Amino acid sequence: MFDALSDRLRKTLGALTGRGRVTEADVDAAMREVRLALLEADVNFKVVKDFTARVRERAVGADVLESLNAGQQVVKIVNEELTALLSGGDRTFHLAGSPAVVALVGLQGSGKTTSAAKLARHVVKLGRRPLLVAADPYRPAAIEQLKTLGRSLDIPVFAAPPGTPVPEIGRLGLEAARREVRDTVILDTAGRLSVDAVLMAEITELTQVVRPVETLLVVDAMAGQEAVGVAQAFAAAVPLTGLVLTKIDGDARGGAALSISAVTGLPVKFLGTGEKTDALEPFHPDRLAGRILGMGDVLTLIERAQDAFDQKEAEKAAAKFQTGSFTLEDMLEQLQQVKKMGPLDQLVGMIPGMSGMAKQAEESVNRGDLARTEAIIRSMTPRERRDPDVLNASRRRRIATGSGTSIAEVNRLVKQFNDMQKLMKQLRGGRRIPGMIGR
Ligand SMILES: Nc1nc2c(ncn2[C@@H]2O[C@H](COP(=O)(O)OP(=O)(O)OP(=O)(O)O)[C@@H](O)[C@H]2O)c(=O)[nH]1
Ligand SMILES: [Mg+2]
């Protein structure tokens, strides 16, 4: 998502930074391009109009245009305003109350049930004991879906007998939470195909009974402009505290999702980035703005790395590197760690100045480069992994066959590894390469 928008904005802004002097006319031309890019990405037209007007006003200010790095300053203003656009409201995820009650509402299929499970997992990480409550009594399959998710996460799910009115389910859910000493209740409510009065009345009544500290509207980021209207209707009927934007991993233009917060004033609290229960990210407007403008997203990258990398293992690997005892076995281990961080093209796209390389990385992934490297190492015996010097022609042929690759590929990997060892030796020799293993 946001790829097309990102491409266009980067091109426009790139032209601006590359220029020695920037005139008011240059700014106007760039803003026309920015406006088109945003409209084409399906951002709400009023939001676009306000946005470009604000950027222009700041950019044509005398001290900007006369400065030596005017182009960069304009880009910085775009970045700041885009961040501000996404920053509406209080983004803190509040968990006050005993139990703290979080209710999820939204249209059918927007991702409520999935997000309920994701949030439950999220609060477990915060050290809490959640209870999931199935407040969608109309479809037995809906209850079953939540139970399955709960089971997979080892989180209890409360469901009331069929026919129980929704507000009563809420009340019973709270009772169950107190009984089972659960400090967080996450309510999964039923969706409708469109906003209707009965649904709104039901949710209003439910929130009056359970008094959620967070009532989050779950919005499918793939939905177009109508999502903005839906959000407004929900906001008018229920005291919403924020938004969860789901399916951010999809390939829709995403502009509508960018508009909802600006139009309703509701903060985006979480992003859903995949179908699995770990695909939930707290929302950081500055990071998303940076990602869209191709400025990378180093903070998210660092967080993911911290999540995926075992600190002890990383230190061990670094130590091995320094003593020159890093083997192919260790390389395989490191490959696993990188894989845990997520798709390589996404990772590369997060590094500033590298988003252009994301495509290359994607191609490399599509060609299966990593997987082939892994297959080659896996086809080696432990001895070969520790000491690639024993790899004669017949061993290499066996490995190529075993891994479904070619002898040329095996040779290339061994050569890469030998080059790396040379580098390790140089490091040991005291010649430090700046920026490598910074310890
Ligand atoms: N790719 C992707 N798929 C998602 C995400 N969130 C939910 N989905 C998928 O969207 C579909 C609907 O999700 P549900 O959680 O069942 O939606 P719901 O709002 O509970 O639906 P109803 O209960 O029928 O109103 C499922 O196939 C989910 O796997 C996400 O962040 N990314
Ligand atoms: Mg559901």
Side-chain angles (χ1 to χ4, degrees):
M1 193 165 284
F2 309 128
D3 276 358
L5 173 63
S6 180
D7 275 353
R8 279 196 69 160
L9 286 180
R10 261 186 291 146
K11 241 178 245 143
T12 305
L13 300 176
L16 213 53
T17 41
R19 188 143 330 141
R21 265 190 62 79
V22 177
T23 64
E24 195 168 329
D26 293 334
V27 172
D28 282 336
M31 284 311 108
R32 265 197 303 279
E33 283 294 313
V34 168
R35 174 159 64 230
L36 280 176
L38 291 171
L39 286 174
E40 220 159 77
D42 203 25
V43 177
N44 182 282
F45 75 93
K46 196 174 164 323
V47 172
V48 175
K49 209 171 130 213
D50 293 349
F51 177 79
T52 45
R54 264 196 315 276
V55 174
R56 185 184 187 282
E57 194 186 306
R58 288 183 57 189
V60 299
D63 38 337
V64 173
L65 287 189
E66 276 160 25
S67 68
L68 288 174
N69 58 348
Q72 277 157 33
Q73 290 215 36
V74 174
V75 175
K76 186 160 163 268
I77 293 170
V78 172
N79 186 27
E80 282 167 8
E81 288 297 333
L82 188 57
T83 306
L85 178 76
L86 301 168
S87 297
D90 167 20
R91 282 190 314 281
T92 320
F93 184 45
H94 295 280
L95 288 170
S98 56
V101 178
V102 179
L104 297 178
V105 301
L107 292 187
Q108 196 170 76
S110 55
K112 295 176 296 297
T113 306
T114 312
S115 300
K118 289 176 177 179
L119 280 174
R121 182 173 172 152
H122 177 73
V123 303
V124 166
K125 275 202 180 161
L126 301 177
R128 302 184 70 98
R129 290 165 44 83
L131 174 70
L132 284 162
V133 173
D136 179 355
Y138 306 104
R139 294 179 303 126
I143 300 174
E144 226 15 78
Q145 183 193 0
L146 193 65
K147 281 189 173 165
T148 307
L149 286 166
R151 252 197 311 276
S152 75
L153 294 172
D154 211 12
I155 292 168
V157 175
F158 174 83
T164 312
V166 168
E168 181 64 6
I169 297 178
R171 202 184 59 75
L172 291 171
L174 287 199
E175 259 180 33
R178 295 202 176 98
R179 206 167 47 237
E180 293 164 30
V181 210
R182 294 273 147 185
D183 56 16
T184 314
V185 167
I186 298 171
L187 289 154
D188 174 32
T189 66
R192 292 289 191 285
L193 278 173
S194 64
V195 177
D196 69 63
V198 179
L199 165 76
M200 287 303 175
E202 184 185 283
I203 294 175
T204 309
E205 213 181 314
L206 172 69
T207 55
Q208 280 161 1
V209 173
V210 299
R211 303 238 154 254
V213 60
E214 290 280 5
T215 306
L216 302 176
L217 177 67
V218 180
V219 181
D220 181 343
M222 310 272 280
Q225 282 302 317
E226 70 273 14
V228 176
V230 168
Q232 282 174 310
F234 268 94
V238 196
L240 295 177
T241 57
L243 304 165
V244 179
L245 298 183
T246 63
K247 310 185 195 178
I248 291 292
D249 50 313
D251 56 5
R253 294 172 293 167
L258 295 185
S259 319
I260 295 173
S261 178
V263 173
T264 61
L266 288 167
V268 179
K269 297 211 172 180
F270 293 98
L271 299 181
T273 56
E275 294 189 32
K276 298 221 185 87
T277 51
D278 61 352
L280 183 80
E281 289 177 10
F283 179 62
H284 300 287
D286 48 336
R287 299 187 195 177
L288 181 58
R291 211 187 290 179
I292 290 174
L293 297 179
M295 294 178 181
D297 191 351
V298 181
L299 290 173
T300 302
L301 188 63
I302 291 171
E303 264 178 19
R304 277 209 206 168
Q306 278 171 343
D307 262 4
F309 275 83
D310 183 333
Q311 185 64 28
K312 283 230 174 60
E313 286 298 317
E315 274 168 21
K316 256 197 336 222
K320 281 184 175 171
F321 223 90
Q322 278 169 335
T323 57
S325 56
F326 190 88
T327 64
L328 280 163
E329 194 105 44
D330 300 316
M331 189 162 161
L332 187 61
E333 187 72 33
Q334 295 298 309
L335 273 179
Q336 303 303 319
Q337 303 251 10
V338 172
K339 265 200 338 206
K340 268 197 282 177
M341 286 173 62
L344 194 61
D345 53 324
Q346 261 186 28
L347 293 179
V348 176
M350 287 179 189
I351 303 172
M354 297 279 271
S355 29
M357 271 182 67
K359 280 224 162 59
Q360 243 170 295
E362 190 179 355
E363 279 162 18
S364 152
V365 169
N366 288 346
R367 280 199 310 268
D369 288 354
L370 276 188
R372 298 166 86 84
T373 302
E374 198 182 325
I376 291 172
I377 302 179
R378 283 196 190 287
S379 298
M380 295 179 182
T381 65
R383 161 128 197 266
E384 289 164 347
R385 289 181 201 171
R386 275 193 302 272
D387 182 14
D389 285 346
V390 304
L391 290 171
N392 57 21
S394 80
R395 282 177 187 254
R396 290 180 193 218
R397 198 174 318 115
R398 191 206 76 235
I399 292 166
T401 315
S403 57
T405 60
S406 66
I407 296 180
E409 279 173 289
V410 175
N411 287 343
R412 198 176 319 133
L413 176 66
V414 173
K415 178 164 185 323
Q416 273 171 0
F417 183 74
N418 284 337
D419 289 348
M420 207 164 86
Q421 271 193 322
K422 266 189 221 133
L423 186 74
M424 288 190 277
K425 290 216 179 81
Q426 283 175 4
L427 282 171
R428 248 186 319 159
R431 262 203 289 149
R432 299 218 158 258
I433 296 180
M436 275 207 61
I437 322 174
R439 46 177 91 229

